[in-house]
Amino acid sequence: MIPVTKPFLPPKSEYQAYLDGIWERNWLTNNGPLVNELELSLKEYLGVNHLLYTGNGTIAIQIAIKAMELTGEIITTPFSYVATTSSIVWEGCKPVFVDIDPATCNIDPNKIEAAITPSTSAILATHVYGIPCDVEAIDRIAKKHKLKVIYDGAHAFGVKVKGRSIFSYGDVSTCSFHSTKIFHTIEGGAVFTTQPELLKKMAYFRNFGHDGYENFNGVGINGKNSEFHAAMGLVNLPHLPAILQRRREQGDTYRQLLSGLRVTYPNTQGIESYNHSYFPIIFSSEVLMLQSKKALADHEISARRYFYPSLSSLNYTEGDCSVSDQIAARVLCLPLYHALSVVEQKMIARILLRVQNN
């Protein structure tokens, strides 16, 4: 079987070397030395000043919302993973959907202002497939209306805008380090901010509000991560150049092999350090997409409708987002992972072209 994704695993001996140190120290969690080393290594790799390593990407969003004391309505995108919206609801706020730009699949900044009300406190936008949102336009709107900005950068590790890490934009950016992501720590995530005081507040929130052993600073939650997860991140980080190069090659191969397929792609042209986090193709109809997905499945090849359904269809949300609905119905992400071979890509392409031409 060819899965839609497969986690990158480094040589076992490299991970074992970190495990030996964990056993020697017997320090497994609670902000251990490997967690601190990973945070420092990520800051250096990404070129950012502040970040906190968290248990996952979802708790990172929740901590961001809580730390900025957001209330009322948060403008967001219907084209994202459910965690983006559910985090808003979980924190007692109301998601207000703004439709997406069909070229990028990101929230359409031209439609944001019409959705702003006196109850709006923030914009929470997702960098879909690693494609940066129009961060400058969103920043202008946020400043004009005195709104906070959170970016869900789960797909955007390593991407830059104007020479700066994508994570340096917004009041807070978040990332997921789940095992399916380009850079992973098995489970994990991070919050990023350029504001030291906000970082300090999120650090308290991440650790139950602890301010030392016996004091507490506000209400917190368990958003920490372990030494074992940090060790995986430290081992994986040096492999990133090879991982990213491999994905670029695989993306180029797919485009060549599928040149005769009547599909469109989200626009990735001109993106600095684009990470090829996914390979989505958008069919002309849902019928053709479903036929293609079935044909792949018949050959034990897994492709994913991602994102599907559009979050505007959730039973705890509302909003008319026709562009998101249409793209969600027609998009399919093809297998993409480090060990995927050109031979396997050729087989995938042959099956898709056969469906189209029958």
Side-chain angles (χ1 to χ4, degrees):
M1 179 180 177
I2 300 175
V4 69
T5 188
K6 186 184 291 185
F8 174 85
L9 284 175
K12 193 183 296 183
S13 60
E14 295 180 9
Y15 189 57
Q16 184 64 52
Y18 279 98
L19 295 186
D20 292 342
I22 294 173
W23 251 258
E24 181 180 342
R25 290 185 296 274
N26 202 17
W27 189 346
L28 308 186
T29 187
N30 287 348
N31 203 32
L34 296 185
V35 166
N36 281 275
E37 184 181 347
L38 178 62
E39 289 181 338
L40 291 171
S41 298
L42 287 172
K43 284 193 282 188
E44 182 179 358
Y45 181 88
L46 295 167
V48 298
N49 293 324
H50 306 296
L51 71 88
L52 296 169
Y53 181 45
T54 62
N56 53 64
T58 303
I59 198 68
I61 298 173
Q62 292 174 231
I63 287 173
I65 293 171
K66 185 73 75 177
M68 289 189 288
E69 302 176 12
L70 302 181
T71 60
E73 299 173 352
I74 297 178
I75 289 172
T76 191
T77 172
F79 197 73
S80 185
Y81 185 59
V82 68
T84 311
T85 294
S86 62
S87 295
I88 294 172
V89 176
W90 197 267
E91 293 303 323
C93 298
K94 178 183 178 180
V96 174
F97 289 126
V98 166
D99 213 345
I100 61 174
D101 179 346
T104 64
C105 297
N106 288 328
I107 193 169
D108 188 340
N110 296 315
K111 298 177 181 177
I112 290 177
E113 285 196 277
I116 296 173
T117 74
S119 298
T120 306
S121 61
I123 301 166
L124 200 174
T126 300
H127 304 300
V128 176
Y129 306 133
I131 301 168
C133 292
D134 189 339
V135 292
E136 293 180 329
I138 292 173
D139 181 64
R140 286 193 298 270
I141 294 166
K143 286 179 177 176
K144 178 180 176 181
H145 295 275
K146 297 181 173 57
L147 303 176
K148 300 296 185 181
V149 177
I150 301 172
Y151 285 112
D152 180 345
H155 296 177
F157 190 91
V159 177
K160 295 181 179 180
V161 173
K162 293 194 171 181
R164 290 169 47 190
S165 168
I166 193 68
F167 299 135
S168 66
Y169 291 87
D171 292 282
V172 178
S173 284
T174 69
C175 192
S176 169
F177 301 151
H178 184 261
S179 59
T180 57
K181 301 299 187 285
I182 290 174
F183 170 76
H184 79 85
T185 63
I186 307 172
E187 287 279 3
V191 288
F192 303 80
T193 183
T194 59
Q195 304 169 38
E197 287 304 311
L198 183 56
L199 183 88
K200 188 175 181 180
K201 191 173 182 180
M202 291 192 290
Y204 286 129
F205 284 2
R206 179 182 63 166
N207 189 26
F208 301 103
H210 268 289
D211 188 1
Y213 284 108
E214 299 176 344
N215 297 314
F216 295 91
N217 189 330
V219 177
I221 197 169
N222 186 2
K224 303 187 303 296
N225 213 323
S226 79
E227 292 291 272
F228 295 90
H229 293 83
M232 181 60 76
L234 287 166
V235 175
N236 278 338
L237 197 56
H239 291 279
L240 266 176
I243 293 169
L244 292 169
Q245 176 61 30
R246 179 81 175 132
R247 295 181 86 91
R248 282 192 292 270
E249 292 169 354
Q250 290 170 328
D252 290 343
T253 297
Y254 263 138
R255 284 185 178 263
Q256 292 169 8
L257 293 172
L258 298 174
S259 60
L261 194 67
R262 292 189 292 274
V263 294
T264 59
Y265 305 96
N267 184 14
T268 59
Q269 298 301 308
I271 299 174
E272 295 177 62
S273 305
Y274 182 57
N275 61 12
H276 298 268
S277 55
Y278 296 87
F279 195 85
I281 57 177
I282 303 172
F283 290 85
S284 58
S285 72
E286 185 175 18
V287 170
L288 186 56
M289 183 279 300
L290 290 171
Q291 290 172 344
S292 300
K293 185 175 186 296
K294 182 181 183 303
L296 291 170
D298 288 345
H299 289 79
E300 297 189 335
I301 299 168
S302 176
R304 184 179 179 186
R305 303 182 72 178
Y306 191 66
F307 299 104
Y308 180 82
S310 174
L311 297 180
S312 51
S313 67
L314 293 172
N315 61 8
Y316 53 85
T317 64
E318 57 187 38
D320 180 14
C321 298
S322 58
V323 179
S324 178
D325 293 343
Q326 292 167 16
I327 290 179
R330 296 183 286 120
V331 70
L332 195 65
C333 284
L334 300 184
L336 189 67
Y337 51 89
H338 194 69
L340 184 70
S341 69
V342 173
V343 170
E344 289 169 323
Q345 287 187 278
K346 287 181 177 179
M347 180 168 63
I348 292 165
R350 282 198 302 270
I351 294 168
L352 292 173
L353 288 165
R354 190 181 306 138
V355 172
Q356 174 184 275
N357 296 329
N358 280 348

